[in-house]
Amino acid sequence: MNSPPQIRIRTLPAWLVNKIAAGEVIERPAACVKELIENGLDAGATDIQVTVKEGGKKLIRVVDNGHGILPADLPLVFKSHSTSKLTEEKDLYDINTFGFRGEALASMASVAQVRLISKTAAQSDGYAISVDNDKITSPQPVAGVNGTTIEIANLFYRTPARRKFLKSDGVELSHITETVTRFAIAYPEISFKLANLTDNLSDKDAPASARQPLINLASVKDDSSQGILQRLEFFYSPAVSSELLWATEEKDNLKLSAYFSVPTQTRPNSKQQFFYLNRRFIRDRVLSRAIYQAYHNLIPSGRYPFVALFIRMPTSAFDVNVHPTKIEVRFRDAWRVHDRIVSLIRGALAQKVLSEPAAMPELSPNQPETPENQRVMQALVDFFANQGNAAQFSPSAQRPGHFTSHYSDGASAPANTGAPAAALAPAPGDLHPNIHRPTGRIFQIHNSYIIEEVADGILMIDQHALHERILYNRFSQQLASSEIYRQKFLIPTVVEIPKSKSMILPEVIPYLKKVGIEAEEFGENTLAIQSAPSLLNNVNFNEFILEFIDAFADLPAETPVQAGDLPAGSQINETNIKPIDKLIKMMACKAAIKAGQPLTPEEIKSLLADAGETDFVTCPHGRPAVRKITLSELEGYFQR
């Protein structure tokens, strides 16, 4: 019998160690920008300029006016775990800088071509050093100004498999813009500039239009609340910043400062929630939980407030050395921080409501349901003012999300044919051929579920999931047959796009057009919606467009980014055109009736008739839509 081969333990070579570290630290071009900005901040810079090309894949240049690096130290910069910020073990528990482990530049040098120029105030000349294919040149004197310039060229050229996972130039640029945004919000006293080179020339030879900065922020002398508010206004518009509340408190070595929206101003996701610990941007579940708890019962489920939260505490109260990119931390007493945040925000919301009673809407008695923002204000009254018997608003005759089984006359016209719009409406019939034939009573419970009596039991139907499946199938059929029924807007709907996402618009617009949403760029950071499918007549396009842009940026890298025509008769699914499928799922979800929406008997019958032969066991996202309980199951439960 042959003995198994002896497996030997060996030390990995330095170049391979650096590549492994690069996989942890340098995920995409935005990660390089983050590390280099942090180096500039640690060096005391007051001005930071970022220039990128091809979404950072071709070039990333970060220039800061910090204190610079001594010529003798330059060869050590690209050595793994070389740092000026740690000298002994106890320093690990008193981290007051962004970088301290010394792996970032070594990681970049292992996957890209890197050049560094630096000059201290005491030097007459700057010195340059380069790294390519693990070969480090000797420092050479060059002309330069005080500070450090680092150029990262051809990122991942030595690891082409990693480069394949990068997304389009526009998406990568949006991530870089978001990274700069996070720093600019926390450091209003520092000037930031971000420029994107859009041609094949060098940045020195490029025309002024190609060097137009995406971000160009002068320093704000007031680095307190007003300075941060100015930055928030720049990135998220005066309309957002004007609605923000501000609260702060400091006790027991914990200082909290928060900018947060009123409960009537919410968003469909948490991407506009910023948490800073000692001015370091972090993500933390406990902090997210605190925001959720502070707004609990004040905003609808699935909605999120705008929040910029700043925490100051001694470095001994947390550990920042728990994640390669240092974006996650571990608090020594997380729940104390949690409770203080909840108390701060809840208190400010209570004061806002009680100090401005005139801003509260009039209440009318004995109505069962309210529109979203009115229901929010009612919850505020009930919670903070102890008016538990306060009555609710009367719903309008045409409730938000109201639907009809057929298109109304004149509301829409077919895009490519002369067929009547109602032609795509399914004929009344069985909800599902394998479930039941409708024979009995139908009614709604809790304004969310439909109960139907059938010959051999009962059906329990989620009204939102059913309508969502119906609309998804209808959108898919229209798209596959190129017969999308559109409604032209008398006045275009203008959507303001955050600066960090505006560069994705050229990629997003073709997808919107493919599903029947005619949109075009309208000035800086804005999109004008000219027409849309008639099925979306009650959708909030401002939220819908912003949510899709966020989703588009997060789609996997292998997703195609060219919006080509679908082959005739092809089916929309997850494997052929993911952005299109994502769009129609979102369209169906946004246009469908909602949980909590009361329906008349006629509307319930219309909804069930529209289901036709649809297989609606699940909604398009895979969530259960119906459950059947047979008579035998009921009899068994009650031991009959």
Side-chain angles (χ1 to χ4, degrees):
M1 179 181 295
N2 294 329
S3 59
Q6 184 67 41
I7 299 175
R8 303 297 303 273
I9 297 174
R10 61 185 182 275
T11 302
L12 293 176
W15 63 268
L16 184 55
V17 171
N18 287 338
K19 285 184 181 292
I20 294 172
E24 297 176 340
V25 178
I26 309 302
E27 177 187 5
R28 62 186 342 138
C32 293
V33 173
K34 170 186 175 292
E35 296 289 345
L36 297 180
I37 290 178
E38 288 180 346
N39 285 348
L41 293 174
D42 285 342
T46 59
D47 179 80
I48 295 177
Q49 301 181 25
V50 181
T51 303
V52 299
K53 190 172 185 179
E54 296 182 12
K57 304 170 193 174
K58 187 71 172 178
L59 172 70
I60 300 170
R61 179 188 294 111
V62 177
V63 181
D64 70 66
N65 65 344
H67 52 60
I69 304 170
L70 293 171
D73 290 341
L74 286 177
L76 299 175
V77 166
F78 299 106
K79 297 292 185 181
S80 182
H81 300 298
S82 57
T83 178
S84 62
K85 298 158 189 176
L86 295 177
T87 57
E88 50 189 339
E89 182 182 354
K90 69 180 183 64
D91 294 338
L92 279 172
Y93 309 102
D94 187 23
I95 301 296
N96 290 291
T97 57
F98 284 106
F100 53 88
R101 296 192 300 214
E103 81 272 37
L105 285 174
S107 298
M108 294 178 207
S110 69
V111 294
Q113 298 165 319
V114 183
R115 184 168 187 257
L116 185 151
I117 302 171
S118 193
K119 177 181 178 298
T120 66
Q123 298 172 220
S124 57
D125 294 318
Y127 281 81
I129 188 172
S130 300
V131 182
D132 186 6
N133 199 20
D134 298 319
K135 297 179 180 178
I136 304 177
T137 64
S138 300
Q140 300 295 322
V142 294
V145 296
N146 293 348
T148 300
T149 297
I150 298 181
E151 295 180 348
I152 310 294
N154 301 316
L155 186 64
F156 298 135
Y157 86 104
R158 296 183 62 193
T159 52
R162 291 286 307 280
R163 193 178 181 90
K164 288 195 306 182
F165 284 92
L166 297 181
K167 301 182 184 179
S168 66
D169 294 351
V171 172
E172 294 299 341
L173 180 58
S174 76
H175 286 291
I176 292 172
T177 307
E178 190 171 10
T179 297
V180 177
T181 298
R182 293 170 180 172
F183 285 106
I185 289 173
Y187 286 85
E189 76 277 18
I190 293 177
S191 59
F192 286 91
K193 180 182 289 186
L194 170 62
N196 178 44
L197 299 180
T198 57
D199 64 358
N200 294 321
L201 301 174
S202 68
D203 56 338
K204 294 180 181 178
D205 300 326
S209 59
R211 291 183 278 110
Q212 185 68 25
L214 300 172
I215 296 174
N216 192 5
L217 289 168
S219 60
V220 180
K221 292 183 179 179
D222 182 4
D223 64 348
S224 62
S225 61
Q226 288 304 311
I228 294 173
L229 198 60
Q230 287 183 36
R231 292 289 171 91
L232 292 174
E233 179 177 317
F234 172 82
F235 288 111
Y236 297 102
S237 83
V240 172
S241 62
S242 63
E243 295 289 337
L244 296 181
L245 304 178
W246 178 68
T248 185
E249 72 168 22
E250 183 174 8
K251 62 180 181 181
D252 301 330
N253 290 323
L254 174 61
K255 180 179 180 180
L256 300 176
S257 296
Y259 305 78
F260 48 97
S261 58
V262 294
T264 52
Q265 302 294 325
T266 59
R267 283 146 185 81
N269 55 54
S270 60
K271 288 184 177 293
Q272 291 183 16
Q273 293 186 357
F274 302 90
F275 303 141
Y276 295 93
L277 175 58
N278 293 358
R279 305 177 90 177
R280 179 196 299 274
F281 178 82
I282 63 170
R283 296 192 187 100
D284 186 83
R285 291 183 179 179
V286 173
L287 302 185
S288 297
R289 173 70 183 178
I291 301 303
Y292 168 82
Q293 196 66 36
Y295 283 84
H296 186 55
N297 292 332
L298 303 180
I299 61 177
S301 176
R303 304 294 298 180
Y304 300 84
F306 182 104
V307 177
L309 173 66
F310 297 84
I311 304 172
R312 287 276 194 177
M313 60 169 52
T315 56
S316 59
F318 63 90
D319 183 5
V320 75
N321 196 29
V322 296
H323 190 275
T325 63
K326 301 177 285 295
I327 200 170
E328 297 176 9
V329 300
R330 184 180 293 117
F331 291 101
R332 309 293 183 196
D333 191 355
W335 292 106
R336 179 175 74 98
V337 179
H338 171 279
D339 294 345
R340 290 276 297 277
I341 293 170
V342 175
S343 176
L344 177 71
I345 294 179
R346 276 281 190 176
L349 291 173
Q351 186 177 6
K352 173 71 173 178
V353 171
L354 298 179
S355 64
E356 299 183 17
M360 299 297 292
E362 281 186 28
L363 303 176
S364 59
N366 303 323
Q367 297 294 338
E369 186 66 21
T370 67
E372 176 184 314
N373 63 332
Q374 298 166 344
R375 184 165 60 250
V376 168
M377 297 307 294
Q378 181 62 53
L380 282 168
V381 172
D382 291 347
F383 185 86
F384 291 125
N386 275 332
Q387 296 179 5
N389 296 322
Q392 297 175 318
F393 277 90
S394 171
S396 60
Q398 179 75 12
R399 291 188 298 275
H402 178 77
F403 69 96
T404 57
S405 61
H406 300 289
Y407 299 96
S408 58
D409 292 340
S412 62
N416 299 343
T417 73
L424 288 177
D430 292 348
L431 280 173
H432 189 284
N434 299 321
I435 294 181
H436 80 296
R437 298 190 66 83
T439 60
R441 290 161 291 184
I442 304 171
F443 55 92
Q444 183 189 41
I445 62 172
H446 298 295
N447 293 332
S448 297
Y449 304 99
I450 296 171
I451 306 298
E452 182 175 8
E453 180 184 35
V454 294
D456 57 344
I458 60 172
L459 286 180
M460 298 182 295
I461 301 168
D462 183 320
Q463 65 189 35
H464 173 74
L466 170 59
H467 198 211
E468 189 177 9
R469 169 58 69 178
I470 292 170
L471 294 178
Y472 175 80
N473 289 357
R474 189 172 295 171
F475 283 134
S476 299
Q477 292 166 8
Q478 291 184 2
L479 184 59
S481 62
S482 298
E483 294 180 343
I484 300 174
Y485 300 93
R486 297 185 178 92
Q487 178 177 336
K488 186 78 173 178
F489 297 158
L490 293 177
I491 301 175
T493 299
V494 178
V495 180
E496 188 166 355
I497 310 298
K499 288 180 173 60
S500 61
K501 295 292 190 293
S502 60
M503 60 286 302
I504 308 180
L505 288 181
E507 298 178 50
V508 168
I509 289 175
Y511 286 113
L512 296 175
K513 184 177 181 180
K514 185 65 186 175
V515 298
I517 300 175
E518 295 289 342
E520 60 183 17
E521 293 189 64
F522 184 69
E524 186 178 3
N525 304 322
T526 55
L527 193 69
I529 310 297
Q530 308 286 351
S531 64
S534 302
L535 293 174
L536 298 180
N537 61 337
N538 290 312
V539 168
N540 182 326
F541 279 97
N542 190 68
E543 290 191 355
F544 173 75
I545 297 297
L546 294 178
E547 189 171 347
F548 176 66
I549 289 175
D550 284 337
F552 181 84
D554 292 335
L555 285 171
E558 62 270 18
T559 298
V561 295
Q562 296 83 20
D565 290 337
L566 291 175
S570 63
Q571 296 297 312
I572 306 298
N573 56 52
E574 289 287 352
T575 60
N576 53 26
I577 241 181
K578 292 183 181 178
I580 294 290
D581 192 51
K582 184 73 175 178
L583 255 179
I584 60 176
K585 283 180 178 178
M586 290 178 59
M587 291 162 63
C589 183
K590 296 297 183 184
I593 59 175
K594 302 298 185 287
Q597 179 177 328
L599 304 177
T600 66
E602 291 75 19
E603 289 173 333
I604 295 174
K605 291 178 182 178
S606 176
L607 177 64
L608 298 182
D610 276 353
E613 297 292 333
T614 296
D615 180 353
F616 69 97
V617 175
T618 64
C619 78
H621 300 95
R623 189 169 58 83
V626 62
R627 178 173 181 180
K628 182 177 182 179
I629 300 179
T630 65
L631 276 176
S632 60
E633 288 174 323
L634 285 171
E635 290 169 349
Y637 179 80
F638 289 107
Q639 302 180 11
R640 293 180 65 89

